[in-house]
Amino acid sequence: MTDVLRVEDLRVYYHTEAGPVKAVNGVTFSLKPGERFGLVGESGSGKSTIALALLRLIRPPGRIEGGAVYLDGLNLLTLDEEEMRRLRLARMSLVAQGAMNSLNPVKRIREQIYLALRDHGVQMSRGEFDRYVAELLQRVGLRPEVGDMFPHELSGGMKQRVCIAIAISLEPQVIVADEPTSALDVVVQWQVIDTLRRVQEELGASVLLIGHDMGLMAQTVDRIGVMYAGKLVEIAPTRELFREPLHPYTQLLIASLPSLDGKGDLRGIPGLPPSLLNPPPGCPFHPRCPFAMERCRTEEPKLQEIQPGHWVACHLH
Amino acid sequence: MSALLEARHVTKVFGGGLLRKTQTVALENFSFRVSGEAPRITAIVGESGSGKTTLARLLLGLVTPTKGEILYRGKALQKLSGEDRRAFLRDVQAVFQDPFEVYNPFYKVDHVLELPIRNFGLAHSRRERRAMVEEALHAVGLRPEETLGRYPHQLSGGQRQRIMVARALLLRPRLIIADEPVSMVDASLRATILGSLLKLNEEFGISLIYITHDLTTAFQVSQDIIVLYRGSVVEAGDVEQVVRDPQHPYTRLLVGSIPLPNPDRAWQGERVLGRPAAELAPISASYCKFHQRCPFAMPICVQEAPPLFQTGGRRVTACYLYREAPALQAEELVTIFADGHRQQAAATESTLDGETS
């Protein structure tokens, strides 16, 4: 099947006084239609920058330095601003980190949905629009009356569902969700992800879920890409990644996760992620890697397909 | 022998002043005790609005109870004399959620470590002070040469949080109250910080109250657990029993909502419980706060809040589904925990049967 979204060698730098911070440094991945793909990484790994770059929302001092983002064969990096504006929401939408706080506090939910649709040239009669909003809210598990409410009358989970409703209002092909549940309680988190999963399946859209919670990824996405220091170090189907992680970083990360299966040693990964201003030569993980060899210090490993569908960037493989 | 720190029938109500009519009961009739004899790790688990942070602030004396009292070695926290107050400030240390906010950005991190040493006159020379700081940093897995002499913004969140743990350790406290110490720290560093808190417990005999929303880390770290829902204890006891076999419907929901990092374990969320029962309107001021969401709600749930039913030697559940079990008074909560049981037995010659550890 052809990919709906294809990201090739994407590079995004933040230009600081001290020099360029290479937040995203040559990232390549793709999404199949209807697929849920997860990008996991720690803070500073570049995952949120990717979300913004896909929608071309990077602001100075950040800049997309190179690469390509193909949506259905169309390279978004070559579009002009107006074309890009029309494409956002309609064909690719974003549920941003803390999206629930981006709702306008002085406008009713209905009005906010109306404005989003109007900006994209949707024309509907009042009656049609009211029916559409009611249906949209129902889809995300909210009562139609929510349309008449203000954001402060809603709980965090409800607001986040409103944001999902807006994100799907024009039936996009790709929904980018950046930490959509990071500020929510665990029960509400389940509700929101359950909603996202359901509407995405109904629409047949693809989801790019970005986050740091390996548990959430394990339970939500079909495939996972692991980010480290601005690069993808491993991509694999979810089950396979958890059963047989190949990159030492992924192995240590999975081993450090607390589980309910038994009380184990609490072991983190020694050391710290590298500075993206002066990344170490060779493999970015070598200073923390228990298996580091001489070659890792000088030569950067390429992301290679070791088994069908399982990619890893490590000299061990 | 009085306990190190004790909460007796503590209730905290916010609001209800001249301007705000609505009152929020953040914590209701909570009793607990840290003996100070045998070091224990107790997790206090709840979602936002459960009252867990209010409890931490009450135990630290940062807010005063509306009803009830907090006692330090038998004396009310609010009335401690100068000397007792100093002893309290040394014995009970805190580690907070945000490892960014607690630092003064104008000082090097050395300052935050040296200040308590000076305040309490722990060192007699600069060299001694330096040695103490280095030892504390080593204890939490930091290398002094990579940490000292730097400003807070030059360190990562994980490093900053570990410095906070080192700072708490410097004073050789008897109890550390840690309020969400790892919720803002990345996964790969989370285990390291929890590991250093565990080490303080094991090597230095420091008790720990670990306040969190995260049941998995609570399970990994603690021996005892108290689950709060909207200001009330819904379930408490031995952590293995409570997490592996939750009884209260709310605890079941909480455990079922954890996305486990194992694709073969189902993530059930609300499906664990099923639909809430037909709506019942509370007919008294005291009722089970979970009844609206509970599929097992019965008329009695809205007549009177359920007491703590002792469903096992080491566990209690505040739910009428277990009303066959003997009911405990709120202040007897501590008797189900291993060392609390011993203490209570000695103090009151209680005849309560149950396992002693």
Side-chain angles (χ1 to χ4, degrees):
Chain A
M1 221 185 314
T2 50
D3 299 326
V4 58
L5 181 75
R6 179 152 182 83
V7 177
E8 271 174 19
D9 195 28
L10 183 66
R11 273 171 289 123
V12 185
Y13 298 171
Y14 291 95
H15 295 273
T16 66
E17 278 173 32
V21 173
K22 296 169 182 168
V24 178
N25 197 3
V27 164
T28 300
F29 65 91
S30 57
L31 263 76
K32 295 184 191 66
E35 184 186 36
R36 286 189 294 266
F37 182 73
L39 270 185
V40 277
E42 300 177 65
S43 39
S45 64
K47 56 191 195 302
S48 289
T49 300
I50 290 183
L52 295 176
L54 294 186
L55 286 131
R56 284 200 15 209
L57 294 169
I58 298 283
R59 299 254 161 81
R63 207 170 70 195
I64 299 177
E65 300 291 326
V69 176
Y70 294 104
L71 182 68
D72 240 358
L74 177 71
N75 187 354
L76 304 187
L77 303 189
T78 61
L79 300 183
D80 66 35
E81 265 316 310
E82 178 56 23
E83 288 170 321
M84 192 62 213
R85 189 190 68 77
R86 272 185 279 143
L87 183 140
R88 286 183 203 122
L89 194 65
R91 295 185 58 193
M92 177 152 64
S93 62
L94 173 69
V95 181
Q97 197 166 12
M100 57 189 188
N101 301 321
S102 65
L103 293 172
N104 186 334
V106 296
K107 282 200 163 46
R108 294 179 199 276
I109 299 302
R110 174 190 312 283
E111 187 78 357
Q112 308 200 29
I113 299 177
Y114 171 71
L115 289 174
L117 296 183
R118 195 197 60 186
D119 275 356
H120 284 82
V122 176
Q123 306 213 328
M124 281 188 198
S125 71
R126 194 75 217 173
E128 277 173 339
F129 175 72
D130 285 349
R131 270 197 302 281
Y132 188 68
V133 169
E135 188 200 307
L136 208 52
L137 291 173
Q138 221 149 24
R139 264 192 171 168
V140 296
L142 295 171
R143 284 172 290 120
E145 299 91 271
V146 170
D148 298 319
M149 294 182 168
F150 289 101
H152 74 266
E153 296 176 279
L154 306 177
S155 69
M158 290 166 88
K159 280 189 273 191
Q160 202 59 299
R161 287 188 213 202
V162 168
C163 292
I164 294 175
I166 294 174
I168 62 163
S169 59
L170 292 171
E171 310 206 338
Q173 292 162 286
V174 177
I175 303 166
V176 179
D178 184 8
E179 304 258 13
T181 59
S182 61
L184 300 174
D185 279 324
V186 48
V187 178
V188 182
Q189 164 174 288
W190 179 86
Q191 293 166 343
V192 169
I193 293 291
D194 193 53
T195 303
L196 181 66
R197 212 157 35 177
R198 205 164 28 76
V199 297
Q200 169 252 336
E201 280 169 10
E202 283 167 17
L203 287 182
S206 306
V207 165
L208 176 64
L209 181 69
I210 291 172
H212 67 277
D213 184 343
M214 286 295 273
L216 190 65
M217 290 294 170
Q219 299 291 345
T220 311
V221 299
D222 308 311
R223 280 194 307 141
I224 296 182
V226 181
M227 297 275 306
Y228 188 79
K231 292 175 190 294
L232 269 171
V233 296
E234 186 161 5
I235 303 177
T238 304
R239 273 208 158 71
E240 196 171 320
L241 188 87
F242 278 91
R243 204 183 319 120
E244 201 195 347
L246 293 179
H247 197 284
Y249 173 65
T250 320
Q251 291 168 354
L252 289 169
L253 189 63
I254 289 175
S256 78
L257 300 171
S259 79
L260 296 182
D261 292 332
K263 290 200 181 191
D265 283 346
L266 284 165
R267 213 175 308 139
I269 304 179
L272 294 168
S275 147
L276 298 175
L277 200 57
N278 298 306
C283 170
F285 190 61
H286 87 254
R288 299 171 83 184
C289 183
F291 310 112
M293 307 172 284
E294 202 41 54
R295 190 178 167 202
C296 305
R297 285 175 244 279
T298 51
E299 187 189 333
E300 192 185 323
K302 287 197 174 60
L303 193 64
Q304 286 177 327
E305 194 168 13
I306 303 293
Q307 292 153 24
H310 197 151
W311 297 69
V312 63
C314 177
H315 289 312
L316 289 174
H317 301 283
Chain B
M1 161 82 211
S2 50
L4 177 71
L5 194 64
E6 183 174 2
R8 265 192 207 159
H9 299 286
V10 171
T11 294
K12 180 66 189 176
V13 181
F14 288 110
L18 273 176
L19 298 171
R20 291 190 61 187
K21 290 249 166 58
T22 49
Q23 291 199 336
T24 308
V25 181
L27 192 69
E28 196 173 352
N29 196 12
F30 182 85
S31 293
F32 183 63
R33 182 165 47 198
V34 178
S35 79
E37 298 295 297
R40 299 286 292 175
I41 303 185
T42 308
I44 296 185
V45 176
E47 295 180 281
S48 42
S50 63
K52 59 186 192 298
T53 293
T54 300
L55 175 59
R57 298 177 65 82
L58 283 161
L59 292 175
L60 289 165
L62 300 175
V63 290
T64 37
T66 312
K67 272 190 265 174
E69 52 188 353
I70 310 278
L71 305 172
Y72 166 70
R73 297 193 189 280
K75 293 176 188 158
L77 213 51
Q78 309 305 327
K79 294 178 195 143
L80 289 182
S81 65
E83 201 178 313
D84 287 336
R85 178 135 196 94
R86 274 181 78 79
F88 167 74
L89 289 175
R90 195 173 160 178
D91 269 353
V92 181
Q93 290 297 314
V95 176
F96 291 110
Q97 175 172 14
D98 192 335
F100 303 84
E101 264 181 8
V102 290
Y103 287 90
N104 183 332
F106 294 106
Y107 287 114
K108 291 180 181 166
V109 296
D110 311 36
H111 180 77
V112 77
L113 291 164
E114 286 172 358
L115 200 62
I117 300 181
R118 276 196 222 140
N119 280 350
F120 286 94
L122 304 180
H124 303 292
S125 67
R126 187 175 289 191
R127 254 176 68 193
E128 202 180 336
R129 193 163 72 206
R130 176 84 186 187
M132 287 180 78
V133 166
E134 291 189 354
E135 190 199 335
L137 288 173
H138 279 301
V140 298
L142 288 173
R143 282 189 284 270
E145 63 275 17
E146 288 176 6
T147 323
L148 296 174
R150 302 201 179 193
Y151 287 96
H153 71 267
Q154 294 173 306
L155 300 172
S156 74
Q159 284 175 314
R160 276 185 284 219
Q161 194 62 304
R162 274 188 275 174
I163 291 174
M164 279 298 120
V165 177
R167 186 196 151 278
L169 172 67
L170 271 175
L171 296 169
R172 290 289 185 271
R174 310 292 301 275
L175 170 67
I176 293 178
I177 297 174
D179 185 6
E180 297 277 19
V182 294
S183 69
M184 296 181 72
V185 174
D186 275 316
S188 75
L189 302 169
R190 209 170 272 182
T192 315
I193 291 169
L194 291 173
S196 55
L197 282 169
L198 261 183
K199 195 172 152 199
L200 299 195
N201 171 260
E202 284 161 6
E203 287 180 17
F204 300 95
I206 299 170
S207 287
L208 180 67
I209 293 181
Y210 175 53
I211 295 176
T212 183
H213 69 283
D214 181 2
L215 264 175
T216 34
T217 55
F219 173 76
Q220 291 293 334
V221 168
S222 66
Q223 292 126 16
D224 308 324
I225 187 171
I226 298 174
V227 183
L228 293 177
Y229 181 71
R230 291 176 61 190
S232 300
V233 175
V234 293
E235 186 160 358
D238 174 77
V239 75
E240 297 253 358
Q241 292 180 33
V242 171
V243 174
R244 283 181 194 277
D245 172 31
Q247 292 180 330
H248 195 286
Y250 174 67
T251 323
R252 290 187 221 169
L253 176 63
L254 214 51
V255 173
S257 298
I258 302 169
L260 290 169
N262 176 352
D264 296 320
R265 294 274 293 259
W267 191 28
Q268 289 182 293
E270 283 176 332
R271 285 194 289 265
V272 169
L273 285 187
R275 298 204 155 274
E279 211 164 297
L280 297 160
I283 54 173
S284 84
S286 161
Y287 53 89
C288 171
K289 288 170 182 151
F290 191 63
H291 80 269
Q292 287 147 320
R293 295 169 69 183
C294 184
F296 313 108
M298 303 172 275
I300 191 173
C301 304
V302 293
Q303 281 163 19
E304 203 189 345
L308 301 170
F309 293 107
Q310 183 159 15
T311 52
R314 294 266 207 87
R315 65 187 304 185
V316 289
T317 303
C319 177
Y320 286 115
L321 290 176
Y322 302 90
R323 65 189 138 178
E324 315 297 55
L328 292 187
Q329 299 298 314
E331 71 271 18
E332 292 174 310
L333 171 64
V334 72
T335 62
I336 60 162
F337 298 128
D339 72 317
H341 185 89
R342 271 201 307 276
Q343 244 195 11
Q344 182 84 355
T348 64
E349 290 177 343
S350 147
T351 50
L352 196 113
D353 42 306
E355 5 171 317
T356 35
S357 65

